[in-house]
Structures are given as structure tokens and as C-alpha cells.
Amino acid sequence: MAALLDAHNVRRSAHCAAPLTWSDEVAAHAQRWADHLAANGCRLEHSGDGYGENLAAGTAGTLSPEDVAEMWYRERAAYDFATGGFSMDTGHFTQLVWTSSAHLGCGVASCGGLDVWVCNYDPPGNYEGQYRESVLPTSCR
């Protein structure tokens, strides 16, 4: 999962967010949730267990760690940096670059020809009222 951590940190750097560090504890939680999702038909649903969480799914073997991070990051095109705020269209992106998230852990599991990816972030992001200071534009440098 080093490639997934690296893919996150490259994108975070563009938004002046400090690099994430890998957490085996957070990764174990993410893997347990990925296994749970796979055991239940790979229907994507959030764990609600206190971590920030991004989910992705794709045809088994087709998504690389880089692809997963880029899928979430592409949502930046729909994000309004001037006003901030949560949107279902940008929530993966905002969690990925949330400045106060410090630790990452991810897991992947397969079922029915799909791979399901779970990444958890500690501390979580996407807090209403904190977007403008926690999701920075690439012009932050």
C-alpha cells in the first residue's frame, strides 16, 4: 500500500497539506471494513466508525493504487474553493487533501469480479465550517 500512500501525498502536496503517514492500526480497520463489504456483496457503504473514509470499487485487477487516488482527486474540478463546504460530488477529494488528517490506512478485498478499496483517515476531515482553512487551492504556495 506504499503506492497508495505516495499517490495521496503527491496530491496533498499540491494543496499545501502535510504528508500522511501510514498507520498499521488504521489500515487494519480499513481492511476489516473492506472484508465486511466483500462478504456482503461489495455494496459500498461507509463504516461510520470515526475515521474519515473513502471508498472505491472497480473490476477486479483494473484499478491500481494510483488510479484509486486519482479517481478521488478528480473531484477537485467540481469543488468551489471560494465558498468551501461539503458536496457528495467532492467529498472524496476534500478528505484526501484535508490538512489536519495525519494518518492513512487502506485495505482492499474482492468479490463477484470487483475489487473494493477502503481508505481511512485519522483524524477525519469533512467538518462543516472548516473547509476554507482545511481544503487549500493549489495556489497556496
Side-chain angles (χ1 to χ4, degrees):
M1 291 291 183
L4 193 48
L5 176 64
D6 291 345
H8 273 73
N9 285 336
V10 164
R11 287 156 179 82
R12 287 175 61 83
S13 174
H15 295 269
C16 298
L20 297 168
T21 58
W22 187 260
S23 166
D24 289 336
E25 177 183 335
V26 176
H29 181 272
Q31 187 61 58
R32 280 191 299 275
W33 190 248
D35 292 341
H36 167 83
L37 295 175
N40 289 283
C42 282
R43 190 182 86 205
L44 296 183
E45 60 183 338
H46 288 287
S47 66
D49 288 342
Y51 290 115
E53 189 167 75
N54 279 344
L55 306 174
T59 302
T62 62
L63 291 176
S64 70
E66 176 73 23
D67 294 333
V68 171
E70 182 60 23
M71 180 186 322
W72 296 329
Y73 187 71
R74 277 193 306 258
E75 293 178 0
R76 80 190 178 287
Y79 186 72
D80 184 345
F81 289 92
T83 60
F86 180 77
S87 163
M88 293 298 287
D89 295 329
T90 61
H92 300 102
F93 160 70
T94 55
Q95 176 58 83
L96 192 151
V97 300
W98 196 265
T99 58
S100 62
S101 291
H103 306 286
L104 177 70
C106 302
V108 64
S110 298
C111 73
L114 291 175
D115 288 337
V116 61
W117 297 76
V118 176
C119 283
N120 287 148
Y121 305 81
D122 182 43
N126 287 341
Y127 284 105
E128 201 56 54
Q130 297 179 18
Y131 283 85
R132 291 186 70 201
E133 65 269 13
S134 300
V135 180
L136 303 176
T138 56
S139 60
C140 59
R141 298 200 182 274

